[in-house]
Amino acid sequence: MTKVWDGFIRGFHWLLVAGLVTLYITGEEGMMDLHFITGYLLLALMAARLVWGVIGSQTAKISALFHSPKAILAAIKSKQSHVGHNPAGSLMVLLFFVLIIVQLVSGLMTTDDILVEGPLAQYVSYDMVELAGDIHHSNVELLIAAIVLHIVAIVVYRLKGQNLVKTLLTGKQEHAVSTPAMKSGLLAYVIFIALSVLLLLTWGAEPLQSLL
Ligand code: HEM
Ligand code: HEM
């Protein structure tokens, strides 16, 4: 067994899933205090993931996510297992990062036109707030489409004989073709928690107070 996913990547994934589900429900239901708090926590999580993408384990590196179109097509056809994200999966991960960042940043500039507005709305023009609102509404559809594609891909890999979920849960892979350089994910968790506290004490103070 070879360790291929560190503790932070594994925790990041399921916290991301929980965060997005909460944000979707609270957004649709207009539960804005909880929506904002979860939004700030997800912002901290995503920022920690990007930092970890620079200083983290080999399989967490953002630089490892860029591949040629030829390598991506070859990965789709191949049955061979890969250490870390394969070139096709890497494209999916990059797409997720972009869609999630667009969703978070547009949220920071969005208003519900009644009670609340994102903390950056006051610094940008009215047109920009309108545009951010439109993006915040429509980008959700793209995010859902990407999630469906992601889950279909995981099922297809399972049918091809690769259990990617088990590897993501345990962090360990059988018959790995190489041994990646791993780091403890503890530092990334410290960054995540520090950023969460900072955001909750500043932008999050108001929604947190109304919630408690
Ligand atoms: C809200 C829904 C989901 C989102 C946004 C999402 C997003 C992501 C992202 C961003 C990664 C890359 C992790 C990283 O390098 O940091 C990833 C990997 C992965 N996800 Fe998800 N995911 C979702 C749901 C699921 C579900 C429900 C499953 C299981 C059925 C799953 C299974 C996996 C697996 C196995 C990997 C590793 C893929 C590989 O080996 O390359 N995901 N996901
Ligand atoms: C990835 C993270 C996020 C997701 C998935 C998400 C999702 C949603 C959804 C589904 C809605 C309902 C849209 C509709 O009524 O059609 C919504 C509304 C809203 N979101 Fe987010 N959101 C996220 C992050 C944020 C953040 C960080 C903020 C601000 C701090 C924010 C502020 C708002 C506001 C103000 C609305 C109300 C818009 C309106 O009523 O027109 N969101 N969000």
Side-chain angles (χ1 to χ4, degrees):
M1 284 287 203
T2 310
K3 178 121 189 206
V4 294
W5 299 121
D6 61 56
F8 180 68
I9 294 295
R10 284 144 63 204
F12 164 80
H13 185 266
W14 303 111
L15 287 172
L16 175 69
V17 174
L20 284 177
V21 170
T22 309
L23 280 156
Y24 182 78
I25 296 170
T26 53
E28 290 296 338
E29 297 298 320
M31 299 157 75
M32 281 295 132
D33 290 328
L34 197 53
H35 192 71
F36 274 41
I37 301 282
T38 318
Y40 298 140
L41 292 177
L42 198 71
L43 192 62
L45 184 71
M46 197 58 227
R49 175 65 185 90
L50 294 181
V51 172
W52 197 236
V54 179
I55 62 170
S57 305
Q58 196 181 326
T59 51
K61 287 265 165 44
I62 291 171
S63 57
L65 295 174
F66 295 89
H67 300 274
S68 68
K70 213 171 137 187
I72 295 169
L73 282 177
I76 293 172
K77 289 185 198 147
S78 156
K79 275 189 163 183
Q80 211 191 351
S81 73
H82 203 272
V83 168
H85 299 299
N86 77 30
S90 299
L91 195 63
M92 182 91 244
V93 179
L94 283 174
L95 178 70
F96 267 134
F97 286 175
V98 170
L99 290 176
I100 292 164
I101 291 167
V102 166
Q103 193 65 22
L104 286 167
V105 173
S106 63
L108 296 176
M109 296 175 199
T110 300
T111 167
D112 66 353
D113 289 322
I114 319 168
L115 288 172
V116 290
E117 61 174 26
L120 297 185
Q122 55 179 317
Y123 302 111
V124 296
S125 68
Y126 179 75
D127 286 350
M128 189 65 202
V129 172
E130 287 284 290
L131 178 68
D134 290 345
I135 293 175
H136 202 66
H137 285 246
S138 39
N139 189 58
V140 175
E141 312 294 330
L142 297 178
L143 205 48
I144 293 173
I147 292 167
V148 171
L149 187 65
H150 177 58
I151 293 173
V152 169
I154 304 285
V155 172
V156 169
Y157 275 103
R158 186 74 189 86
L159 297 176
K160 287 209 276 186
Q162 289 183 43
N163 192 340
L164 301 180
V165 179
K166 191 174 156 207
T167 307
L168 189 66
L169 286 172
T170 61
K172 297 194 179 93
Q173 188 176 344
E174 264 177 275
H175 316 299
V177 288
S178 60
T179 310
M182 301 301 292
K183 289 185 187 166
S184 149
L186 202 63
L187 178 60
Y189 277 111
V190 171
I191 297 171
F192 166 49
I193 291 166
L195 286 175
S196 297
V197 171
L198 188 73
L199 282 169
L200 290 184
L201 289 176
T202 51
W203 288 345
E206 221 179 283
L208 200 57
Q209 255 169 10
S210 354
L211 203 63
L212 296 176

